[in-house]
Amino acid sequence: MCQRIDKPPRLLYPRFMPTLSLPQRQIAESPLDLKLFLSGPAGCGKTTAGVERMRYLLEQGVPGETILLLTPQRSLQEPYLDLLYSPERNAGGEVTPATFGGLARRMCDLFWSLAAEAAGFAHPDQPPVFLTLETAQYYMAHLVRPLLDADYFESVTIDRNRLYSQIIDNLNKAAVIGFPHTEIGARLDAAYFGDPAQRRVYADAQDCANRFRQYCLDHNLLDFSLQFEIFANILWEQEIVRDYLMRTYRHLIYDNVEEDVPRAHDILREWLPSFDSALLIYDEGAGFRYFLGADVQTGWALRELCDEHVRLQESFVMSAEVANLGSSLVQAIAPNSDALHFPPSSDETKEERGKNDALQIIQSRFYPQLLDAVADEIERLLTEDIHPSAFRLQPSDIVILAPYLSDALRFSITNRLEARGIPWRSHRPSRSLHDEPASHALITLAALAHPHWSIHPPKFDVAYALMQSIDGLDLVRAQLLTEIVYRQRDLGLSSFDQIKSDIQDRITFSVGNRYSVLRDWLLTYRERDPLPLDHFFRKLFGEVLSQPGFGYHSSFDSVRVAASLVESVKKFRQSLESTFNESIAADPIPNLGREYIQMLQDGVIAASYLEGWQAEEKEAVLVAPAHTFLMMNRPVSVQFWLDAGSSGWYERLSQPLTHPYVLSRGWKAGTQWTDADDVRYGKEALARLVSGLLHRCRERVYVCLSELGESGFEQRGELLRAFQKAV
């Protein structure tokens, strides 16, 4: 165990100082020349110890600019940022929070002159253009769309946006695993066992990846894969770059090591000896980002380089009943797994386990009845004094989870929560911004404000935009108003005063006045020189939509989506302004907004925006996919598991152009992927998912079942069978 420091430190932030256990205190106050590897299951206080370690370093006078905070995903830095942004923090240097991907981008930007020529860029004297996931998909579509007309991917029946994103995912996997991108097709082909016609698909995917990489080199474009490859293969090998990093950062805190990629672990193996102190935090039983290249084995191997390995076991989250339930479930799913740890369970009989208060079942015949019962139970939990600690649950203590969160399911459950006055929020990271109601409304208003784009929204889109933008306007009256005032052919909007008086009464004058304000703003804007699209959204939001009486004034979810949309448009514009050429559009500058909207209409998958993970309205019931909740890494008191009989809890998404297991470091090249592998890895993934969810549950899990699922079919999935064995 770590050395105990007897002299109590001076507290810089006493108001936020949590009560620590003895092991946590020893970790936080360990010597400033010690490298620690901290492991344990979720909920045992590892991140809390990491935050306190950062507090202790600052209290001991360590300059903030010499501390590097690494996580595999920016959203996982939130507990540390709460400390760093505390109003009680003393003045001083800034700690550097980063991901390895973000660090790669910074180094590519800072040492571009070293990397450009070595990487083979056509214009090394020109600055680089960094791409987001969205802009990378735009350029990929520009290259691949003509090939689709030449019979590329003719046996693949998926949306084009999914096709583009899977090719990009292959490039990312090659970069973070550490093999040449030219081997992608060969690796996938060697593992495939099935119809020979599929092999041509892998060759097509390889050709598209090669074309995209060459296009990036020709135009100084850096997508994530190219940034990571340049940093790992070129810059990290340069003595001047290593010297810069090693002199700048003397202390390291690296949280959620297991969720990062093997190439990042390789770099850290060489970097770690140069740090004065380091705290590496490993979550046992995790590895939920395996589909993004995360490797638990290479992360676990880093403990060999540390001075001490400390393991925390006591959970500060799970009750004994939840722990017993988790142990039984994991044993039922994956009996031979030794990587998923629960506290020792009591010797319960099956009948006693069946009476476990940590497990409740909500069952109905039809799916709508099930959602009604879920909403009723949440209302009861929030209004009745049934909590064992003598205080009522808050909305933030409850989460509703599903393997996938479709638009229909999201609307159905949130509509029921709203009807009961229960605040809610949701987050689906890969959901296209075009599919979000708040951004769809803004895009429709942008089309109305720019007639020269020649984008003519249908009447329903305009009605929906008005309903979203004007507070108190329902869809029926919005459609009635749109039928009267909107002319699709010339994008005309007539005034509310010209409507017949009886129709005005139906719509109401309060709505009419707000419509008039919005209409006058749009018509006035048309008479001016058009602004860049992100500037237009900011102006429209600030001057109209965020004002009292309009739909974005009090809807935090809409504000979050609007902020992500503005950031997306800004990065798209900055990228294309530097690289647009006549082969893409004849008149690029005035049409960038139109290009962006058309890109969204193609269904491009959204990049990850921090606003989505850090919602303003946190005192609300969270509705999210199960994996998204796990990556938020926060505990709740009550979890509702919808569609417990669905196969979506353990089956991989259909991805004909990529494969997260075959394109991993642990997969032996040339080995074929069989149905037995599918079953084995599916059960292992399900066991990890269930373990992760229950380690983040304080008191109770509601298993929600309907005889007929959301699609109207009977469900008998692996998770349901595990419950039948365990209870």
Side-chain angles (χ1 to χ4, degrees):
M1 188 59 69
C2 309
Q3 179 181 349
R4 175 74 177 182
I5 297 179
D6 296 324
K7 182 179 179 181
R10 179 177 61 87
L11 301 183
L12 292 179
Y13 323 105
R15 183 181 304 173
F16 300 99
M17 189 70 176
T19 302
L20 301 180
S21 65
L22 177 60
Q24 286 177 311
R25 174 67 64 189
Q26 290 174 326
I27 292 165
E29 299 176 357
S30 59
L32 301 184
D33 59 353
L34 189 67
K35 298 180 179 68
L36 280 177
F37 189 91
L38 173 62
S39 68
C44 64
K46 302 186 301 300
T47 296
T48 299
V51 172
E52 294 310 307
R53 175 60 174 174
M54 180 175 289
R55 187 199 306 269
Y56 180 77
L57 290 175
L58 296 172
E59 287 170 351
Q60 297 303 306
V62 173
E65 63 271 16
T66 65
I67 302 174
L68 176 62
L69 168 65
L70 284 176
T71 58
Q73 184 172 305
R74 288 190 301 166
S75 62
L76 296 171
Q77 298 169 359
E78 189 171 358
Y80 298 90
L81 298 181
D82 288 342
L83 169 67
L84 297 177
Y85 298 157
S86 165
E88 298 187 12
R89 180 188 168 188
N90 287 0
E94 291 293 331
V95 174
T96 301
T99 64
F100 261 101
L103 200 62
R105 171 170 177 157
R106 295 180 197 181
M107 294 302 101
C108 288
D109 197 17
L110 185 60
F111 295 99
W112 173 247
S113 58
L114 290 177
E117 190 169 353
F121 284 94
H123 306 285
D125 56 325
Q126 299 296 319
V129 178
F130 296 98
L131 302 182
T132 65
L133 176 60
E134 293 160 356
T135 51
Q137 289 177 86
Y138 175 82
Y139 287 110
M140 182 66 76
H142 165 65
L143 295 171
V144 175
R145 198 179 291 119
L147 300 178
L148 297 177
D149 299 330
D151 296 332
Y152 272 54
F153 306 109
E154 60 180 350
S155 63
V156 177
T157 55
I158 58 174
D159 293 338
R160 288 192 174 190
N161 62 298
R162 296 288 173 182
L163 188 149
Y164 305 146
S165 66
Q166 287 181 34
I167 299 173
I168 293 171
D169 184 63
N170 285 340
L171 286 166
N172 293 344
K173 290 286 199 316
V176 301
I177 302 303
F179 62 87
H181 75 277
T182 53
E183 297 180 4
I184 294 170
R187 286 174 176 249
L188 292 171
D189 183 80
Y192 179 71
F193 179 76
D195 186 358
Q198 175 71 12
R199 299 186 185 279
R200 181 187 168 183
V201 171
Y202 297 139
D204 292 345
Q206 181 67 71
D207 184 48
C208 292
N210 294 343
R211 289 171 183 257
F212 180 76
R213 174 58 58 87
Q214 189 59 49
Y215 187 88
C216 289
L217 294 175
D218 291 342
H219 296 83
N220 282 27
L221 304 177
L222 277 79
D223 68 322
F224 172 83
S225 66
L226 198 46
Q227 294 171 38
F228 209 98
E229 282 190 15
I230 290 173
F231 174 58
N233 300 337
I234 299 176
L235 293 179
W236 179 248
E237 302 301 325
Q238 299 285 335
E239 184 176 351
I240 186 174
V241 178
R242 288 201 186 198
D243 185 60
Y244 169 80
L245 289 172
M246 293 177 179
R247 283 190 297 104
T248 302
Y249 302 115
R250 306 304 308 159
H251 301 271
L252 171 67
I253 297 176
Y254 188 8
D255 205 343
N256 289 105
V257 172
E258 78 291 340
E259 301 294 348
D260 224 332
V261 295
R263 201 68 182 93
H265 297 151
D266 294 344
I267 293 172
L268 192 62
R269 291 187 72 89
E270 301 176 20
W271 191 357
L272 193 60
S274 70
F275 285 101
D276 293 336
S277 75
L279 175 61
L280 276 58
I281 302 175
Y282 182 96
D283 190 352
E284 298 174 4
F288 309 116
R289 285 164 49 95
Y290 69 91
F291 57 92
L292 296 176
D295 195 315
V296 296
Q297 298 300 327
T298 55
W300 179 249
L302 292 175
R303 75 190 188 284
E304 302 166 355
L305 304 178
C306 295
D307 300 322
E308 293 186 21
H309 176 192
V310 180
R311 184 168 186 268
L312 300 179
Q313 301 184 58
E314 180 184 358
S315 176
F316 294 98
V317 176
M318 289 189 300
S319 64
E321 291 80 6
V322 173
N324 288 335
L325 173 63
S327 179
S328 301
L329 268 179
V330 169
Q331 183 66 22
I333 297 169
N336 299 322
S337 175
D338 57 356
L340 307 174
H341 301 281
F342 281 88
S345 57
S346 58
D347 295 329
E348 294 181 313
T349 65
K350 186 169 183 177
E351 290 74 16
E352 290 171 335
R353 290 199 301 270
K355 298 176 183 179
N356 192 335
D357 290 337
L359 175 63
Q360 300 291 327
I361 297 176
I362 300 179
Q363 193 168 6
S364 68
R365 175 165 175 75
F366 298 108
Y367 202 73
Q369 295 173 338
L370 178 67
L371 298 183
D372 287 334
V374 169
D376 289 340
E377 181 64 14
I378 292 175
E379 184 179 27
R380 188 180 74 86
L381 291 173
L382 295 176
T383 55
E384 297 182 12
D385 292 325
I386 58 175
H387 196 272
S389 300
F391 60 84
R392 292 180 181 175
L393 290 175
Q394 299 301 313
S396 59
D397 294 322
I398 300 174
V399 63
I400 303 174
L401 304 174
Y404 310 118
L405 190 60
S406 65
D407 291 343
L409 176 56
R410 179 179 182 268
F411 173 80
S412 298
I413 191 64
T414 57
N415 184 262
R416 286 166 168 81
L417 295 176
E418 286 181 355
R420 292 163 175 78
I422 300 172
W424 63 272
R425 66 185 182 99
S426 70
H427 183 43
R428 291 178 288 178
S430 63
R431 177 175 165 85
S432 172
L433 286 171
H434 185 264
D435 295 332
E436 293 286 355
S439 61
H440 190 80
L442 286 170
I443 291 167
T444 301
L445 294 176
L448 295 177
H450 299 86
H452 61 282
W453 289 353
S454 299
I455 298 177
H456 300 265
K459 289 186 177 181
F460 181 80
D461 285 358
V462 175
Y464 202 83
L466 292 176
M467 182 188 72
Q468 187 75 25
S469 304
I470 298 175
D471 200 15
L473 180 60
D474 57 74
L475 186 56
V476 174
R477 288 184 296 157
Q479 288 184 301
L480 177 62
L481 178 61
T482 302
E483 286 289 341
I484 298 172
V485 302
Y486 176 56
R487 298 187 304 276
Q488 185 175 353
R489 177 175 298 180
D490 62 355
L491 300 178
L493 291 171
S494 58
S495 69
F496 185 77
D497 296 335
Q498 297 176 359
I499 301 177
K500 294 179 181 180
S501 59
D502 58 329
I503 303 298
Q504 287 181 339
D505 291 338
R506 287 181 60 186
I507 297 173
T508 72
F509 284 94
S510 61
V511 169
N513 289 335
R514 294 165 192 163
Y515 162 74
S516 298
V517 171
L518 178 60
R519 171 184 176 271
D520 292 343
W521 191 95
L522 292 173
L523 294 181
T524 301
Y525 175 83
R526 287 183 182 182
E527 298 173 357
R528 303 172 179 171
D529 293 334
L531 297 171
L533 185 57
D534 51 322
H535 295 187
F536 165 81
F537 284 143
R538 291 178 186 272
K539 185 177 179 66
L540 175 61
F541 181 85
E543 296 181 0
V544 181
L545 299 182
S546 64
Q547 301 303 312
F550 291 89
Y552 294 71
H553 177 69
S554 57
S555 174
F556 292 107
D557 195 59
S558 296
V559 171
R560 172 188 60 79
V561 172
S564 297
L565 179 65
V566 170
E567 183 179 354
S568 172
V569 176
K570 177 183 176 182
K571 292 179 178 178
F572 180 84
R573 174 177 59 82
Q574 291 174 341
S575 170
L576 266 69
E577 281 180 346
S578 302
T579 60
F580 230 90
N581 54 55
E582 294 185 359
S583 65
I584 300 177
D587 189 17
I589 299 301
N591 290 331
L592 287 182
R594 183 181 65 188
E595 289 287 326
Y596 180 83
I597 290 178
Q598 290 178 343
M599 179 188 73
L600 285 191
Q601 290 174 342
D602 286 342
V604 65
I605 296 175
S608 180
Y609 295 101
L610 203 55
E611 293 85 355
W613 299 90
Q614 299 175 341
E616 293 293 331
E617 183 55 67
K618 294 188 178 180
E619 195 51 62
V621 174
L622 175 65
V623 184
H627 276 94
T628 300
F629 171 70
L630 287 176
M631 292 314 301
M632 290 180 170
N633 199 28
R634 69 177 185 89
V636 293
S637 296
V638 178
Q639 297 177 3
F640 288 82
W641 294 6
L642 299 180
D643 297 329
S646 170
S647 60
W649 288 94
Y650 59 93
E651 284 187 349
R652 290 187 302 111
L653 287 173
S654 177
Q655 295 178 302
L657 306 185
T658 187
H659 200 296
Y661 293 107
V662 171
L663 297 181
S664 68
R665 186 170 291 185
W667 186 258
K668 185 178 179 181
T671 306
Q672 289 187 332
W673 179 269
T674 65
D675 292 340
D677 295 313
D678 242 339
V679 173
R680 178 166 61 91
Y681 282 99
K683 287 187 176 183
E684 180 182 311
L686 177 60
R688 287 183 179 275
L689 176 63
V690 168
S691 173
L693 292 177
L694 292 179
H695 273 97
R696 291 163 176 81
C697 181
R698 295 189 182 97
E699 296 173 11
R700 188 177 302 172
V701 172
Y702 285 86
V703 178
C704 307
L705 305 167
S706 62
E707 294 182 23
L708 301 178
E710 183 182 2
S711 302
F713 297 100
E714 189 176 7
Q715 297 179 329
R716 298 185 181 274
E718 191 69 31
L719 179 59
L720 183 57
R721 287 193 288 269
F723 273 109
Q724 292 170 343
K725 294 178 184 177
V727 178

